[in-house]
Amino acid sequence: MTENQYQNDYQAWLRDPEAYWLNAARNIPWFTPPSLAHDSHDDQRAVWFPDGKTNACYAALDIHVDNGAGNQTALIYESPVSGASDIYTYQRLLDKTAHLAGGLKELGVKAGDRVVIYMPMIPQAIIAMLACARIGAIHSVVFGGFAARELAARIDHAKPKVIISASCGIEPTRLIPYKPLLDEALAIASHQPQHCVIYQREQMSATLIADRDIPFEILANAPPAPCEAMDAASPLYILYTSGTTGAPKGVVRDTGGYIVALKWSMENVYDSKPGDVFWAASDIGWVVGHSYIVYGPLINGCATVLYEGKPNCTPDAGAYWRLIQKHKVSTLFTAPTAIRAIRRDDPDGSYIGESDISSLKHLFLAGERADPDTVKWASGKLGIPVIDHWWQTELGWPAIAACAGLGETDTRTGSAGRAVSGYKFEVKSEDGKTVPPLTEGALVIKLPLPPGCLSTLWEAEEQYQDAYLTEHEGYYLTGDAGYVDDEGFIFVMGRTDDVINVAGHRLSTGAMEEVLSQHPDVVECAVIGIDDKMKGQCPIGLIVLKNGAQERQNEIYEELISDMRTTIGPVASFKRIKSVPGLPKTRSGKILRATLRKMANGEDVTPPATIENPDILSQLSSILIDQ
Ligand code: COA
Ligand code: AMP
């Protein structure tokens, strides 16, 4: 394909978006094929393929077995932290999934019921997700690095009939007691599931509570269940993500539009073919895991890699390259932080030279800004295109990329690429006007969003409208700032809200502030993200202590760090606190977080006109500068 293929494709979409997506929809299996692209009563809120019926598990597994690919590899499980390694063919993965789906049905789980999945990176987690999809239950996977309170908040919001979990997760230096964490979460939560299904790992055995807890194995031996024909618009999953406030937002993903978008992206963005080995080195608790460990590669007939380990220390920074050689991986997708971790431990890339990675065609990076230095290092050492691309939990699949499958190789340093077909970006000024090229502003996407993007927030339609649709009428607000150059390359500059990205994990500083402000000695606080060489950003807490509490300052710091671990979770990487005499505020009392962020990162700061207490800035600069 020529490079123009991308331009032609994008123009074809612009000319007739509905015909374009109806055409793409022909590439996925349907029980009832759609006759309509979207419900055009409302141009802003497209319901994609409203009269189509399909099933995400069918599209991921059954169709390949029906087409004679049952013996092909579907799932490669590699777990350096436990020493386990396993391969599932499509037939084996289908059998396991169908039995578990039957077991869930026997527990009374029906289409539309919610099932929370709180599991480490083990095949049973993927089987659980697909089993839910098979019977039309809506899964909600919660990342294992969150603490019990965060899990409880999600349980209370999603109100699952059943929770599926495991006895433990395994981090390089310790076991994570998932089942006790789940019990703790259920002791906090108001909502109680009817049952918890527990997978016992050999590293730790969990105590089961009579009548409520059921061994995973019992469900896994139930009679198999068939796939339910689901309306394309029916929710496949809820995935909670961080927003501006402490309460997480439950992104709702539909079924039909998502399958179509993932199939399209596997071919056109990732240049991936059935039979290829696709490795998204992320976690099933994040959107990258949902779309490109589980559904995308399987829908495309690829073998997907499930990796339970770290990039640099299980056992060393050569782990990725050895696995690429072992399984002939053709696409690797990870967060820049993982590459930075590898580079820190192996700056010369000597491990790369020790493995045959000739199968690898592309390295895709997303989840946070890919700094040009890391991109340059990786492309130099690997000798393949390194493609930064941008998307969000809300969108579900890439919106800005170099579409490798459409022959696009053109990139610009610092840019995540050009708009992917389906997405029309504009940049807005504060007064709502579209700004000319090269001018920074709020990145927005013209509505309607393409198939696969969020349809609403779970039981929070008003919040959905307020957070994404109200600020610029007719556009979706991404929450990122950026600019577009004359050739359409989009440069993402960072969030405009209180979301930070720590090692590719999206976290809310608002939620962290809630934890700090609950401490009896803290009068006021702000949490900001500061630049971090390895993790991209790390949080730092600025606290104003009660009079007299200064003597206990170090003790208070330790208490706050521990509170953060037990409330938000270790994933917050909250390790730095500074006691400050006050915080800069506007006259209406709003803390000037953007000003603090700039100061902490050593940028020049012009005090905003609205500042009430400009004197505090000079006091803070000496405290923050030594970060
Ligand atoms: N369950 C329980 N705890 C977890 C966890 C999980 N699934 N994942 C992480 N944690 C814990 C870690 O053990 C660590 O705890 P510690 O403070 O006691 O050491 C803490 O959460 C922070 O973890 P992490 O952010 O992973 O930092 P790290 O220093 O352990 O590793 C990297 C750094 C760069 C190697 C790691 O973050 C990484 O591999 N990142 C890839 C990013 C990624 O997959 N992003 C997803 C979007 S693409
Ligand atoms: P998440 O929903 O966890 O995928 O996080 C989405 C956010 O991560 C985006 O809104 C961006 O702020 C950031 N992000 C993701 N990918 C990139 C990228 N390639 N470049 C810059 N920021 C990114």
Side-chain angles (χ1 to χ4, degrees):
M1 287 193 188
T2 63
E3 202 189 302
N4 263 343
Q5 180 79 18
Y6 156 72
Q7 302 276 17
N8 293 342
D9 190 83
Y10 192 79
Q11 292 306 320
W13 165 70
L14 267 182
R15 269 194 307 278
D16 193 345
E18 288 165 33
Y20 183 93
W21 287 118
L22 261 186
N23 194 36
R26 294 199 181 94
N27 289 335
I28 71 142
W30 295 92
F31 297 133
T32 309
S35 64
L36 280 175
H38 69 76
D39 182 344
S40 54
H41 303 306
D42 180 351
D43 268 354
Q44 305 229 330
R45 295 287 300 274
V47 174
W48 285 95
F49 314 116
D51 59 350
K53 279 187 190 291
T54 184
N55 180 291
C57 179
Y58 185 78
L61 300 179
D62 301 62
I63 184 71
H64 305 303
V65 174
D66 292 354
N67 288 342
N71 287 332
Q72 273 187 28
T73 302
L75 173 64
I76 297 165
Y77 170 53
E78 287 287 356
S79 172
V81 288
S82 68
S85 168
D86 202 355
I87 288 196
Y88 288 69
T89 61
Y90 272 96
Q91 182 70 60
R92 182 176 172 217
L93 193 56
L94 171 57
D95 289 344
K96 297 269 178 208
T97 302
H99 283 285
L100 189 72
L104 286 171
K105 261 185 133 167
E106 284 188 349
L107 287 187
V109 178
K110 314 181 291 307
D113 286 339
R114 274 81 59 214
V115 173
V116 161
I117 298 174
Y118 182 60
M119 293 183 101
M121 291 280 284
I122 54 177
Q124 289 71 20
I126 293 187
I127 292 166
M129 291 167 78
L130 292 167
C132 290
R134 193 167 186 84
I135 59 172
I138 303 167
H139 60 70
S140 187
V141 181
V142 179
F143 176 62
F146 284 124
R149 198 166 285 274
E150 288 287 311
L151 175 59
R154 287 154 175 78
I155 291 171
D156 273 339
H157 197 257
K159 300 192 174 48
K161 191 177 257 183
V162 164
I163 297 179
I164 308 179
S165 189
S167 56
C168 69
I170 309 173
E171 282 291 289
T173 55
R174 65 190 199 282
L175 293 181
I176 310 290
Y178 272 54
K179 175 59 170 46
L181 280 166
L182 172 61
D183 289 339
E184 203 185 320
L186 288 174
I188 303 168
S190 325
H191 174 83
Q192 297 297 308
Q194 289 175 8
H195 294 287
C196 296
V197 176
I198 308 298
Y199 181 77
Q200 299 278 15
R201 300 188 78 179
E202 62 186 48
Q203 292 78 7
M204 186 185 270
S205 165
T207 310
L208 302 191
I209 295 175
D211 297 334
R212 190 196 72 181
D213 298 345
I214 303 172
F216 188 93
E217 290 315 317
I218 292 189
L219 270 72
N221 288 315
C227 289
E228 295 276 334
M230 302 302 296
D231 286 340
S234 59
L236 172 63
Y237 64 77
I238 305 167
L239 180 55
Y240 287 91
T241 189
S242 300
T244 299
T245 65
K249 302 194 279 196
V251 164
V252 178
R253 190 84 59 218
D254 69 352
T255 301
Y258 187 51
I259 303 172
V260 170
L262 291 183
K263 174 73 181 160
W264 187 96
S265 66
M266 287 299 295
E267 290 175 354
N268 296 296
V269 177
Y270 297 108
D271 193 21
S272 191
K273 316 251 175 316
D276 283 354
V277 181
F278 193 94
W279 181 9
S282 176
D283 189 287
I284 49 150
W286 307 113
V287 70
V288 175
H290 281 64
S291 295
Y292 297 110
I293 296 177
V294 185
Y295 290 106
L298 295 177
I299 286 167
N300 204 36
C302 296
T304 186
V305 179
L306 179 71
Y307 177 73
E308 190 182 24
K310 298 274 173 184
N312 57 332
C313 60
T314 51
D316 57 41
Y320 276 21
W321 321 125
R322 287 192 293 272
L323 269 196
I324 288 167
Q325 169 177 311
K326 180 174 174 191
H327 296 293
K328 300 198 168 33
V329 173
S330 58
T331 311
L332 176 64
F333 174 173
T334 192
T337 188
I339 302 297
R340 287 195 293 267
I342 291 172
R343 182 185 177 186
R344 187 190 59 184
D345 292 359
D346 181 22
D348 300 330
S350 39
Y351 281 118
I352 300 173
E354 288 172 16
S355 296
D356 173 3
I357 56 159
S358 55
S359 58
L360 196 64
K361 288 192 299 184
H362 301 105
L363 167 63
F364 285 88
L365 298 175
E368 52 168 329
R369 182 172 176 272
D371 54 291
D373 202 33
T374 300
V375 173
K376 203 169 143 212
W377 181 86
S379 57
K381 297 293 175 205
L382 298 172
I384 54 166
V386 175
I387 301 178
D388 179 17
H389 64 322
W390 176 98
W391 49 297
Q392 321 176 288
T393 306
E394 288 86 343
L395 303 176
W397 60 288
I400 306 174
C403 289
L406 293 170
E408 219 207 356
T409 51
D410 206 8
T411 56
R412 295 287 177 275
T413 306
S415 164
R418 289 192 268 205
V420 171
S421 301
Y423 295 94
K424 187 168 184 293
F425 281 85
E426 288 183 29
V427 178
K428 297 277 186 190
S429 61
E430 266 174 26
D431 59 3
K433 298 214 171 70
T434 298
V435 300
L438 300 171
T439 312
E440 195 175 319
L443 268 184
V444 297
I445 303 171
K446 184 105 178 69
L447 294 171
L449 292 171
C453 298
L454 81 171
S455 50
T456 184
L457 292 178
W458 183 252
E459 297 198 333
E461 171 60 24
E462 209 174 304
Q463 191 194 358
Y464 169 65
Q465 306 243 0
D466 287 351
Y468 303 106
L469 307 184
T470 313
E471 192 148 331
H472 298 284
E473 211 196 320
Y475 296 86
Y476 164 88
L477 186 72
T478 65
D480 280 25
Y483 65 91
V484 186
D485 75 5
D486 293 325
E487 297 171 298
F489 285 94
I490 301 169
F491 294 74
V492 179
M493 306 307 289
R495 298 286 305 189
T496 57
D497 55 14
D498 299 328
V499 166
I500 57 169
N501 238 297
V502 182
H505 309 313
R506 174 169 161 181
L507 298 164
S508 156
T509 53
M512 294 188 215
E513 286 176 8
E514 280 178 23
V515 176
L516 299 186
S517 60
Q518 273 161 20
H519 192 286
D521 289 320
V522 173
V523 179
E524 258 189 326
C525 67
V527 175
I528 51 169
I530 58 167
D531 296 345
D532 182 88
K533 255 193 153 123
M534 220 254 288
K535 297 199 174 188
Q537 281 186 303
C538 268
I540 175 167
L542 306 177
I543 54 170
V544 180
L545 286 173
K546 231 174 164 173
N547 274 343
Q550 277 82 359
E551 288 151 31
R552 262 187 12 93
Q553 180 179 289
N554 289 344
E555 247 170 88
I556 295 171
Y557 285 2
E558 272 171 35
E559 286 161 11
L560 290 171
I561 289 170
S562 155
D563 288 351
M564 200 67 82
R565 269 184 95 83
T566 50
T567 313
I568 306 272
V571 68
S573 289
F574 185 85
K575 295 186 173 148
R576 278 189 267 188
I577 310 181
K578 286 266 173 193
S579 160
V580 294
L583 293 165
K585 287 192 195 148
T586 61
R587 279 178 216 115
S588 56
K590 208 168 163 252
I591 295 171
L592 290 160
R593 290 181 178 76
T595 306
L596 285 171
R597 211 164 33 232
K598 281 189 184 157
M599 284 175 75
N601 287 323
E603 293 171 40
D604 289 340
V605 172
T606 320
T610 51
I611 191 165
E612 192 196 40
N613 48 349
D615 297 348
I616 196 74
L617 292 185
S618 52
Q619 294 179 53
L620 287 180
S621 68
S622 56
I623 299 174
L624 291 176
I625 242 68
D626 65 339
Q627 281 318 304

